[in-house]
Amino acid sequence: MPAEAIRCTSGHAAPVAAADCLGKLPGRVLDKHELRDLVDALAERPDLWRQHVRFSDDERHYASLHRDEHVDVWVLCWTPRNDTGWHDHDTSSGAVRVVSGALEECNPRIGGAHVQTVVPENTSFCFGPDHIHRLVGAADTSVSIHAYSPPLWRLGQYTITEGGLMRRVSVSYADELRPRDTPT
Ligand SMILES: [Fe+2]
């Protein structure tokens, strides 16, 4: 497991969580641990996101739950055919909480086997702007809550050629992330 990916079990009381999730955010950039507290707290508030849950093999379904100048929050719905491809989050830290099903996270390893980690239901992880990963649904249907700070504007998408060359292209946060190469 990469050092920056910190998994935890079920959510716990925390300052951000105590701030009623989205209604009373502190009005500043949150660090990755605060983002994890936020997504863990939102997992306990399905009234805020369950109406957005639907699934498609053809395009990953997602909905914005919140966006301000400091934080954006999304609910994402996954099938095993929904694959983000390799990407980073530019200058944003982030956190992911799986609220049903499971996700598989992969981290690229140059010169060796990529790191593969199953993130099961009711667990979360967080990361800084240095994190590169790809996510794919690891159950028939899965739902996750994601938070980023500062809010996503651009992301880096990567291709890795058969010869091992890695290239980055900048994409908009409004574009659905998809693999730009074949899985390796
Ligand atoms: Fe990501």
Side-chain angles (χ1 to χ4, degrees), residues 87 89 127 133 135 148:
H87 66 277
H89 313 83
F127 48 84
H133 69 177
L135 292 172
Y148 304 94

PDB file of all heavy atoms in Angstrom, residues 87 89 127 133 135 148, ligand 1:
ATOM      1  N   HIS A  87      -4.690   8.431 -13.426  1.00  0.00           N
ATOM      2  CA  HIS A  87      -4.860   9.886 -13.340  1.00  0.00           C
ATOM      3  C   HIS A  87      -4.295  10.424 -12.039  1.00  0.00           C
ATOM      4  O   HIS A  87      -4.107   9.693 -11.063  1.00  0.00           O
ATOM      5  CB  HIS A  87      -6.335  10.280 -13.472  1.00  0.00           C
ATOM      6  CG  HIS A  87      -7.197   9.801 -12.342  1.00  0.00           C
ATOM      7  ND1 HIS A  87      -7.727   8.535 -12.294  1.00  0.00           N
ATOM      8  CD2 HIS A  87      -7.620  10.423 -11.211  1.00  0.00           C
ATOM      9  CE1 HIS A  87      -8.446   8.395 -11.190  1.00  0.00           C
ATOM     10  NE2 HIS A  87      -8.385   9.525 -10.505  1.00  0.00           N
ATOM     11  N   HIS A  89      -4.719  14.301  -9.536  1.00  0.00           N
ATOM     12  CA  HIS A  89      -5.746  15.291  -9.208  1.00  0.00           C
ATOM     13  C   HIS A  89      -5.154  16.691  -9.185  1.00  0.00           C
ATOM     14  O   HIS A  89      -5.620  17.556  -8.444  1.00  0.00           O
ATOM     15  CB  HIS A  89      -6.404  14.919  -7.872  1.00  0.00           C
ATOM     16  CG  HIS A  89      -6.782  13.469  -7.806  1.00  0.00           C
ATOM     17  ND1 HIS A  89      -5.873  12.492  -7.459  1.00  0.00           N
ATOM     18  CD2 HIS A  89      -7.938  12.828  -8.098  1.00  0.00           C
ATOM     19  CE1 HIS A  89      -6.447  11.308  -7.531  1.00  0.00           C
ATOM     20  NE2 HIS A  89      -7.688  11.467  -7.918  1.00  0.00           N
ATOM     21  N   PHE A 127      -5.527  10.956   0.146  1.00  0.00           N
ATOM     22  CA  PHE A 127      -4.273  11.109  -0.585  1.00  0.00           C
ATOM     23  C   PHE A 127      -3.996  12.583  -0.840  1.00  0.00           C
ATOM     24  O   PHE A 127      -4.911  13.423  -0.773  1.00  0.00           O
ATOM     25  CB  PHE A 127      -4.340  10.345  -1.920  1.00  0.00           C
ATOM     26  CG  PHE A 127      -5.597  10.607  -2.710  1.00  0.00           C
ATOM     27  CD1 PHE A 127      -5.701  11.716  -3.542  1.00  0.00           C
ATOM     28  CD2 PHE A 127      -6.686   9.762  -2.598  1.00  0.00           C
ATOM     29  CE1 PHE A 127      -6.856  11.962  -4.260  1.00  0.00           C
ATOM     30  CE2 PHE A 127      -7.858   9.998  -3.324  1.00  0.00           C
ATOM     31  CZ  PHE A 127      -7.937  11.105  -4.149  1.00  0.00           C
ATOM     32  N   HIS A 133      -3.373   7.248  -9.434  1.00  0.00           N
ATOM     33  CA  HIS A 133      -4.083   5.971  -9.300  1.00  0.00           C
ATOM     34  C   HIS A 133      -5.071   5.780 -10.440  1.00  0.00           C
ATOM     35  O   HIS A 133      -5.282   6.653 -11.266  1.00  0.00           O
ATOM     36  CB  HIS A 133      -4.780   5.876  -7.932  1.00  0.00           C
ATOM     37  CG  HIS A 133      -5.935   6.798  -7.716  1.00  0.00           C
ATOM     38  ND1 HIS A 133      -6.692   6.789  -6.563  1.00  0.00           N
ATOM     39  CD2 HIS A 133      -6.482   7.770  -8.502  1.00  0.00           C
ATOM     40  CE1 HIS A 133      -7.638   7.696  -6.653  1.00  0.00           C
ATOM     41  NE2 HIS A 133      -7.543   8.307  -7.797  1.00  0.00           N
ATOM     42  N   LEU A 135      -9.107   3.823 -10.606  1.00  0.00           N
ATOM     43  CA  LEU A 135     -10.154   3.175  -9.824  1.00  0.00           C
ATOM     44  C   LEU A 135     -11.098   2.448 -10.770  1.00  0.00           C
ATOM     45  O   LEU A 135     -11.424   2.949 -11.845  1.00  0.00           O
ATOM     46  CB  LEU A 135     -10.948   4.206  -9.005  1.00  0.00           C
ATOM     47  CG  LEU A 135     -10.201   4.899  -7.864  1.00  0.00           C
ATOM     48  CD1 LEU A 135     -11.054   6.018  -7.282  1.00  0.00           C
ATOM     49  CD2 LEU A 135      -9.815   3.906  -6.772  1.00  0.00           C
ATOM     50  N   TYR A 148     -12.655  16.610  -2.584  1.00  0.00           N
ATOM     51  CA  TYR A 148     -11.379  17.146  -3.042  1.00  0.00           C
ATOM     52  C   TYR A 148     -11.215  18.577  -2.553  1.00  0.00           C
ATOM     53  O   TYR A 148     -12.185  19.344  -2.497  1.00  0.00           O
ATOM     54  CB  TYR A 148     -11.304  17.136  -4.581  1.00  0.00           C
ATOM     55  CG  TYR A 148     -11.537  15.780  -5.179  1.00  0.00           C
ATOM     56  CD1 TYR A 148     -12.810  15.394  -5.590  1.00  0.00           C
ATOM     57  CD2 TYR A 148     -10.498  14.861  -5.302  1.00  0.00           C
ATOM     58  CE1 TYR A 148     -13.037  14.134  -6.124  1.00  0.00           C
ATOM     59  CE2 TYR A 148     -10.714  13.596  -5.831  1.00  0.00           C
ATOM     60  CZ  TYR A 148     -11.990  13.247  -6.236  1.00  0.00           C
ATOM     61  OH  TYR A 148     -12.215  12.005  -6.753  1.00  0.00           O
TER      62      TYR A 148
HETATM   63 FE    FE B   1      -8.931   9.818  -8.530  1.00  0.00          FE
END
